[in-house]
């Protein structure tokens, strides 16, 4: 449920419940330039049925949006494309009554510049060659939302960093697993953290 709060920063839980999601929004820097990448993973390695439906919907919206990262396209276009897909998906799942319904489940835009800063200044007119812009749709269904409670507490965002080129969009962060299937497969692999022991903290 904390993942439904944008930029939740009290990262002090020592135990993540078995069927919970972990949403990580990371602005890693390299040689003075910053990335801004978000992944949402199931704590126990497997999405629940409801989590997977929402995850795959966000992914579908993101992919369709990324395809519009072309020189000359209006920078508001990917957001509009993602919003349309998410509205239809939420209606199909019965979370909203119709795709024209007003709702609060996707309360932010999808696209901002990155560069020296994680939210870099720049114009928002049309995509130009060499721009690097995020694509980050999300769906957040906090506890108490006006829908079946089986959806409550699901907060999912997928964010990638897209380079605009003459040959179309290049996803610079694609190596971090993006589909629900790739995430579940990656979580089955051995991890360097498997043998990590937290030092006694108190
Ligand atoms: Mn971002």
């Amino acid at each position: 449920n904390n993942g439904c709060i944008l930029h939740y920063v009290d990262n002090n839980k020592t135990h993540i419940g078995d069927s919970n999601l972990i949403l990580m929004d990371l602005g890693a820097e390299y040689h003075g330039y910053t990335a801004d990448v978000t992944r949402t993973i199931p704590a126990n390695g497997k999405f629940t049925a409801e989590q997977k439906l929402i995850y795959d919907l966000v992914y579908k919206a993101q992919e369709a949006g990324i395809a519009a990262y072309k020189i000359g396209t209006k920078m508001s276009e990917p957001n509009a494309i993602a919003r349309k897909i998410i509205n239809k998906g939420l209606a199909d799942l019965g979370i909203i009554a119709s795709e024209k319904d007003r709702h609060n489940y996707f309360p932010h835009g999808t696209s901002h510049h990155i560069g020296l800063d994680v939210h870099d200044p720049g114009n928002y007119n049309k995509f130009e060659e060499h721009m690097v812009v995020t694509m980050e749709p999300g769906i957040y269904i906090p506890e108490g939302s006006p829908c079946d409670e089986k959806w409550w507490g699901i907060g999912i965002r997928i964010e990638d960093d897209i380079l605009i080129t003459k040959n179309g969009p290049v996803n610079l962060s694609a190596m971090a697993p993006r589909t629900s299937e790739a995430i579940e497969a990656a979580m089955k692999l051995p991890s360097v953290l498997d043998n990590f022991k937290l030092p006694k903290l108190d």
Side-chain angles (χ1 to χ4, degrees):
N1 197 50
N2 295 337
C4 297
I5 299 165
L6 302 182
H7 299 143
Y8 183 85
V9 289
D10 290 344
N11 300 312
N12 54 9
K13 266 200 173 181
T14 53
H15 180 73
I16 311 276
D18 201 31
S19 60
N20 275 324
L21 296 165
I22 305 171
L23 188 158
M24 298 167 286
D25 188 347
L26 307 166
E29 291 185 358
Y30 184 70
H31 285 227
Y33 284 85
T34 182
D36 190 9
V37 178
T38 305
R39 291 292 182 268
T40 309
I41 64 171
N44 66 4
K46 195 164 168 42
F47 290 99
T48 66
E50 286 77 22
Q51 289 167 353
K52 185 168 158 51
L53 286 165
I54 300 295
Y55 190 97
D56 292 347
L57 177 55
V58 174
Y59 178 78
K60 186 180 168 194
Q62 196 207 23
E63 281 288 282
I66 289 171
Y69 278 56
K70 290 181 185 154
I71 296 168
T73 301
K74 275 167 67 183
M75 282 185 70
S76 55
E77 188 66 13
N79 183 65
I81 290 170
R83 207 157 283 281
K84 203 168 175 200
I85 289 172
I86 284 176
N87 287 345
K88 168 137 189 353
L90 289 175
D92 288 346
L93 294 171
I95 294 169
I96 56 176
S98 114
E99 60 189 281
K100 300 224 157 32
D101 259 23
R102 295 187 72 140
H103 64 82
N104 253 339
Y105 299 124
F106 182 9
H108 59 74
T110 59
S111 313
H112 64 79
H113 293 281
I114 56 172
L116 298 178
D117 200 357
V118 71
H119 287 195
D120 222 36
N123 77 58
Y124 283 89
N125 302 326
K126 288 177 176 174
F127 288 114
E128 295 170 32
E129 191 179 13
H130 305 314
M131 279 182 173
V132 182
V133 181
T134 63
M135 178 60 194
E136 49 173 321
I139 296 174
Y140 315 88
I141 312 175
E143 285 168 7
S145 294
C147 62
D148 191 317
E149 63 181 75
K150 71 180 180 179
W151 305 106
W152 291 3
I154 296 178
I156 289 168
R157 175 164 71 256
I158 314 171
E159 176 176 31
D160 282 279
D161 300 340
I162 313 301
L163 171 66
I164 309 298
T165 80
K166 282 198 182 96
N167 301 318
V170 176
N171 187 338
L172 300 176
S173 42
M175 277 180 77
R178 298 177 58 235
T179 64
S180 54
E181 293 82 8
I183 287 169
E184 289 183 347
M187 290 185 75
K188 283 192 189 127
L189 300 174
S191 161
V192 290
L193 295 176
D194 286 346
N195 298 317
F196 176 77
K197 285 197 179 64
L198 199 66
K200 228 175 144 43
L201 296 172
D202 44 27

